[in-house]
């Protein structure tokens, strides 16, 4: 078995690993690389191998940095199956369609700027979308669902088996078996106690491990108190007649927050204020969550028996139409609105922020990781003024964050996740983390287990078993 790392190598984006066995080639994940526009476009548009040579893709989960470049692969001639769970397939249908729409919008915007440049005597290349809605459509029939935990034969002498990764709906870790070797791929490892999801499932011992390292040098705050904290923020803001604006990742975090809000309201721990989910993608993703109860944790399975819809309650309204979203601007508080994008880089949340962050009665509740240079990061760092739609806006609203809901295991949790599979383990390849995160984690792995851990560079190859 030969492994080559083509993405998420010393970075957190563009997960893509190339596996060769039995004279055939396979991909683990085919994620979108996100970064500076031109660099990202070129990296995503050209594969360092022939797409038509790939026999199959094995997909760990639906997040765009793991699945988002599948339409480009299909566009370039990939015609094999994409093996993954049914929930991941259904989330991908919604997320890849949305991603294609964003790619098309991005190209349109770029071409409008080009027209302007032409009008002042400068010109550059016409922008094309990385992929279109048709490419996304052409990808969907390639998905081939495999139930969690089933041993799937991909080719004679090459099997794989999935384990619940507890990171998002349908997410998996996996063990590949070929050439007398066992290779585990962590995908993204979740955390115990997250709403909706089961805890990460332990893997059997393996020879080699590819493991994520997003939070390789950090520890999260414990999740037990997240409900109390959320209730306190809502009570405080509602008490002064304010609005709570929650920039929110549409898939995963939104549904978890809806569930927590539902519980808090049922138990009378927050006032009965209107709650809006203002995102078409979040609405489509919520449908997928409803259709896959087999992925729920025991607590949610139990509550289904009451016949209640966990993702719907009388104070909650899903807002699909843009016109309905704009009407929220004229509505007086208190109310809470969840809107994408999670890092405030686009989407409907921008309107809500512009209209509300100058009022000290309101609260902005940040719910996930905020990358450098994003608007979300500036808000989190409480800059006195932040740019929205190119205009400076004074930030006078309260700012709070709930990083307890992070979907990624921290350093300690990753080390414990490794324990059941570590007997006989020869080597760990650390991916999906910045260099400093991976380096810190490598040290702890070597200290705790005495196993070498490396951070491969993009394009590095390893023949396993030698
Ligand atoms: Zn992920």
């Amino acid at each position: 078995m030969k492994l080559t790392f083509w993405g998420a190598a010393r970075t957190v984006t563009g997960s893509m690993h190339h596996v060769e066995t039995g004279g055939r080639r396979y991909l683990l994940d085919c994620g979108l690389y996100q970064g500076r526009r031109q660099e990202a476009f070129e990296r995503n548009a050209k594969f360092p191998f022939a797409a038509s040579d790939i026999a199959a893709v094995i997909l760990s989960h639906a997040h765009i940095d793991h699945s988002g470049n599948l339409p480009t692969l299909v566009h370039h001639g990939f015609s094999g199956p994409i093996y993954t769970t049914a929930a991941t397939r259904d989330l991908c249908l919604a997320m890849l369609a949305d991603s294609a729409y964003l790619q098309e919008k991005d190209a349109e915007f770029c071409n409008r700027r080009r027209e302007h440049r032409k009008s002042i005597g400068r010109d550059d290349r016409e922008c094309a979308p990385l992929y279109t809605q048709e490419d996304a459509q052409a990808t969907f029939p390639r998905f081939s669902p495999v139930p969690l935990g089933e041993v799937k034969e991909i080719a004679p002498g090459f099997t794989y088996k999935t384990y619940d990764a507890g990171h998002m709906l349908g997410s998996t870790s996996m063990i590949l078996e070929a050439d007398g070797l066992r290779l585990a791929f962590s995908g993204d490892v979740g955390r115990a106690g997250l709403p909706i999801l089961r805890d990460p499932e332990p893997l059997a011992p393996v020879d080699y491990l590819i493991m994520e390292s997003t939070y390789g040098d950090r520890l999260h705050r414990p999740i037990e108190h997240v409900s109390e904290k959320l209730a306190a923020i809502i009570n405080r803001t509602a008490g002064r007649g304010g609005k709570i604006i929650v920039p929110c990742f549409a898939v995963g975090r939104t549904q978890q927050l809806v569930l927590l809000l539902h519980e808090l309201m049922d138990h009378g721990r927050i006032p009965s204020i209107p709650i809006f989910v203002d995102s078409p993608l979040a609405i489509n993703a919520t449908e997928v969550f409803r259709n896959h109860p087999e992925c729920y944790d025991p607590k949610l399975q139990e509550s289904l028996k009451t016949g209640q819809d966990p993702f719907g309650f009388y104070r909650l309204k899903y807002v699909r139409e843009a016109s309905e979203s704009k009407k929220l601007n004229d509505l007086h508080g208190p109310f809470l609105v969840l809107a994408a994008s999670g890092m405030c880089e686009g989407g409907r949340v921008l309107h809500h922020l512009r209209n509300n962050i100058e009022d000290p009665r309101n609260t902005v509740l940040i719910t996930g990781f905020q990358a450098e240079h994003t608007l979300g990061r500036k808000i989190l760092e409480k800059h006195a003024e932040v740019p929205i739609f190119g205009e400076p806006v004074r930030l006078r609203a309260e700012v709070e964050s709930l990083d307890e809901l992070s979907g990624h295991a921290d350093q300690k949790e990753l080390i414990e996740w490794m324990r059941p599979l570590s007997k006989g383990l020869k080597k760990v390849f650390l991916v999906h983390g910045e260099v400093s995160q991976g380096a810190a984690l490598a040290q702890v792995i070597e200290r705790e287990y005495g196993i070498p851990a490396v951070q491969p560079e993009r394009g590095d190859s390893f023949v396993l078993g030698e």
Side-chain angles (χ1 to χ4, degrees):
M1 203 181 328
K2 185 180 169 192
L3 253 183
T4 309
F5 296 90
W6 286 122
R10 302 189 165 214
T11 175
V12 289
T13 180
S15 177
M16 185 167 69
H17 314 303
H18 190 252
V19 175
E20 290 171 66
T21 178
R24 300 175 82 192
R25 296 150 181 262
Y26 305 90
L27 282 185
L28 304 179
D29 289 353
C30 186
L32 203 65
Y33 177 82
Q34 292 153 309
R36 276 190 287 270
R37 196 181 182 285
Q38 196 55 32
E39 184 200 351
F41 186 88
E42 279 162 21
R43 170 86 69 101
N44 289 318
K46 291 188 200 107
F47 290 98
F49 44 78
S52 55
D53 278 358
I54 302 297
V57 177
I58 306 169
L59 177 62
S60 65
H61 67 291
H63 276 144
I64 281 297
D65 59 332
H66 295 257
S67 73
N69 215 19
L70 285 166
T72 314
L73 193 74
V74 170
H75 183 88
H76 286 297
F78 168 71
S79 60
I82 302 165
Y83 296 117
T84 194
T85 58
T88 298
R89 175 202 56 193
D90 291 351
L91 283 176
C92 280
L93 303 193
M95 293 171 79
L96 295 179
D98 183 71
S99 174
Y101 172 79
L102 295 177
Q103 305 287 346
E104 288 176 353
K105 285 280 153 208
D106 189 51
E108 266 174 38
F109 175 74
C110 175
N111 283 326
R112 276 205 301 277
R113 277 206 327 216
R114 179 172 172 261
E115 285 304 312
H116 171 70
R117 286 213 186 97
K118 261 164 87 178
S119 72
I120 56 169
R122 289 166 55 190
D123 194 13
D124 37 27
R125 274 184 306 159
E126 188 172 346
C127 308
L130 178 66
Y131 53 79
T132 61
Q133 314 252 12
E134 289 81 68
D135 295 322
Q137 291 286 343
T139 306
F140 301 155
R142 306 249 65 83
F143 281 96
S144 178
V146 180
L148 192 74
E150 186 180 295
V151 177
K152 170 81 186 170
E153 187 176 65
I154 294 182
F158 181 28
T159 61
Y160 99 112
K161 181 182 174 185
T162 50
Y163 299 76
D164 198 320
H167 166 72
M168 83 177 304
L169 196 83
S171 69
T172 58
S173 303
M174 61 187 74
I175 295 179
L176 312 179
E177 235 178 310
D179 310 327
L181 291 169
R182 290 161 62 80
L183 166 68
F185 173 40
S186 70
D188 286 352
V189 181
R191 313 180 61 207
L194 289 175
I196 304 173
L197 304 173
R198 283 190 291 263
D199 296 350
E201 197 180 347
L203 271 64
V206 292
D207 302 298
Y208 295 91
L209 167 64
I210 307 171
M211 184 165 81
E212 71 127 321
S213 55
T214 316
Y215 287 108
D217 77 345
R218 268 180 261 177
L219 299 175
H220 297 310
R221 276 179 278 188
I223 197 164
E224 288 78 29
H225 307 297
V226 71
S227 284
E228 282 96 290
K229 192 171 163 188
L230 180 61
I233 294 165
I234 293 170
N235 283 312
R236 192 161 66 233
T237 311
R240 53 182 188 244
K243 305 171 191 173
I244 303 121
I245 313 295
V246 190
C248 203
F249 299 97
V251 182
R253 195 60 41 83
T254 295
Q255 291 75 20
Q256 290 174 332
L257 281 162
V258 163
L259 199 70
L260 291 177
L261 291 165
H262 191 171
E263 276 174 17
L264 289 173
M265 211 170 266
D266 272 1
H267 294 122
R269 289 167 63 194
I270 54 172
S272 173
I273 60 171
I275 291 169
F276 300 98
V277 173
D278 186 12
S279 157
L281 176 59
I283 298 170
N284 294 340
T286 302
E287 254 338 280
V288 179
F289 274 68
R290 281 200 179 99
N291 291 337
H292 288 282
E294 80 279 7
C295 300
Y296 298 169
D297 66 7
K299 186 180 167 198
L300 186 51
Q301 299 265 12
E302 193 56 36
S303 84
L304 280 186
K305 291 182 188 157
T306 64
Q308 271 194 22
D309 172 10
F311 304 108
F313 50 104
Y314 76 108
R315 287 309 251 160
L316 178 75
K317 186 165 190 276
Y318 287 95
V319 181
R320 191 180 280 278
E321 300 303 326
S323 56
E324 290 290 309
S325 169
K326 287 189 185 122
K327 280 187 194 157
L328 297 181
N329 293 339
D330 304 323
L331 194 69
H332 292 289
F335 67 80
L336 183 147
V337 59
L338 297 146
S341 76
M343 296 194 205
C344 313
E345 284 300 275
R348 293 182 181 175
V349 78
L350 290 178
H351 295 276
H352 299 301
L353 290 170
R354 186 180 58 185
N355 288 320
N356 293 300
I357 66 169
E358 289 190 318
D359 186 339
R361 288 178 301 172
N362 299 334
T363 298
V364 182
L365 176 57
I366 300 283
T367 60
F369 181 75
Q370 304 296 310
E372 252 187 320
H373 311 302
T374 58
L375 175 59
R377 180 73 160 255
K378 293 184 177 106
I379 292 173
L380 188 63
E381 290 173 351
K382 300 183 187 168
H383 291 203
E385 251 181 23
V386 295
I388 303 181
F389 298 123
E391 302 279 332
V393 184
R394 279 186 308 165
L395 173 57
R396 296 180 63 211
E398 184 183 338
V399 177
E400 285 288 346
S401 82
L402 278 186
D403 71 346
E404 289 89 340
L405 287 178
S406 170
H408 286 274
D410 65 13
Q411 185 189 72
K412 196 160 164 262
E413 290 161 340
L414 284 172
I415 292 292
E416 288 315 310
W417 179 85
M418 276 183 65
R419 198 169 296 283
L421 60 78
S422 64
K423 195 168 180 284
L425 186 61
K426 295 182 180 70
K427 190 173 200 162
V428 183
F429 302 99
L430 292 174
V431 296
H432 206 284
E434 302 292 349
V435 176
S436 60
Q437 305 290 325
L441 188 60
Q443 272 191 356
V444 184
I445 291 171
E446 283 167 13
R447 196 174 64 221
E448 182 75 23
Y449 297 110
I451 296 163
V454 296
Q455 290 178 275
E457 303 239 22
R458 183 166 190 259
D460 280 356
S461 282
F462 299 83
V463 177
L464 304 186
E466 284 190 343

